[in-house]
Amino acid sequence: MLIVQKFGGTSVGDLDRIANVAKRVSATKKEGNDVIVVVSAMSGETNKLVGYAENFSKNPSKAEMDMLLSSGERVTASLLSIALNEMGHKTVAMTGRKAGIITDDSHTKARIEEINPEVMRANIQEGRIIVVAGFQGVNYAGDITTLGRGGSDLSAVAIAGAIGADLCEIYTDVSGIYTTDPRIEPKAKKLDKISYDEMLELASLGAKVLQNRSVEMAKKLNVNLVTRTSFSNEEGTLITKEENIMEAPLVSGIALDRNQARISLIGVIDKPGIASDIFNRLAEAEVNIDVIIQNKAQDGTTNIDFTVPVAELNDAKSVVDAFVAKGDIKDDSYNENICKVSVVGVGMKSHAGVAARAFSTMAENNININMISTSEIKVSMVIDEKYAELAVRGLHATYELDK
Ligand code: ASP
Ligand code: MG
């Protein structure tokens, strides 16, 4: 097999841990596999470098930041290559450039445009273990770029896709994806397999494990992703296409998003085009809208409620204020003390009653549902934040996720 193994910051956090990673990579190679390793900087290193730059400037050049930040990954890539070489392997350490990763010009948050895997392929053919510095590429002019924080996951997935690897293993300090946050529900179970779409909906559970962009990329390039821990031999969670999962459970997990705020627009003038006007303005302000509900008021106006990420609340307020000033909206109110709980599972596509059971669970726990939205594989409910944990535990039990 051709395997891409990506090791995050904590897995290469000090020299002993790098030695440990070398042992694991060496074992994988000795089993007869070809291996491309992608590494992050040692944990804390990237933040340290950001701090150094901020010491000199509040607004440092982004091109310079990329040159600076990309150095963290080069340190770990070279050290790991040296360690593996000392163990008797033929190895080569590569920068993003040598690995053939070409990006656009958006310094500090570049997008991968193409990957030219020829140099990697030739080195694999010669029996070398390749160790790539993650998180970086070059633009067409040859300047170093970085892919955004947490970007070495993306490097690994993109390389796996470009070179046609059989597997892309993401090693972190977490052993996989759980049915819900184990800090909220200690009975949460690790999932063996999950589909890309479920993983994207369960982003809040995987946030510390996998960058969302890399899951989208894995889906697009059809890369089999495994998240597992580098601190034991415990099996992780396979993230793959839905067709590869026989007998998908009805519900795979319960996600909780505490970072939502609710905006209520009261007395919105009832004329065609007003919703389009408001939401287009919000889009222009780059506010991400999630759940929306609209209903008619007695006086012929309408009320519209929607949720936005807390971090975008101020931008949203500015947009809404303009409509209030014009008289198109009578009044507005805001509530940050809400959260969104979601029941996620591809199995619900072919089963009725999943939403009804979720609502019953809220009723049994005396939790009022403020807003509801559904998709083919998800039922989301907006509720008061103080009930977040109660709701998660209740739903986890309802769908027997602890079994
Ligand atoms: N070192 C980079 C960061 O801390 C990239 C990564 O670790 O994935 O964001
Ligand atoms: Mg990471």
Side-chain angles (χ1 to χ4, degrees), residues 207 242 287:
E242 204 177 311
V287 174

Short mmCIF file of all heavy atoms in Angstrom, two decimals, residues 207 242 287:
data_model
loop_
_atom_site.label_atom_id
_atom_site.label_comp_id
_atom_site.label_asym_id
_atom_site.label_seq_id
_atom_site.Cartn_x
_atom_site.Cartn_y
_atom_site.Cartn_z
N ALA A 207 -13.56 19.08 15.48
CA ALA A 207 -12.85 20.34 15.30
C ALA A 207 -11.39 20.26 15.72
O ALA A 207 -10.51 20.78 15.04
CB ALA A 207 -13.55 21.44 16.07
N GLU A 242 -19.92 7.20 1.52
CA GLU A 242 -21.08 6.53 2.10
C GLU A 242 -21.23 5.09 1.61
O GLU A 242 -21.59 4.20 2.39
CB GLU A 242 -22.31 7.34 1.72
CG GLU A 242 -23.47 7.17 2.64
CD GLU A 242 -24.61 8.07 2.20
OE1 GLU A 242 -24.38 9.27 1.96
OE2 GLU A 242 -25.73 7.55 2.07
N VAL A 287 -21.41 37.58 6.52
CA VAL A 287 -22.03 36.95 7.68
C VAL A 287 -22.61 35.61 7.21
O VAL A 287 -23.33 35.55 6.22
CB VAL A 287 -23.15 37.84 8.24
CG1 VAL A 287 -23.89 37.13 9.36
CG2 VAL A 287 -22.58 39.18 8.72
#
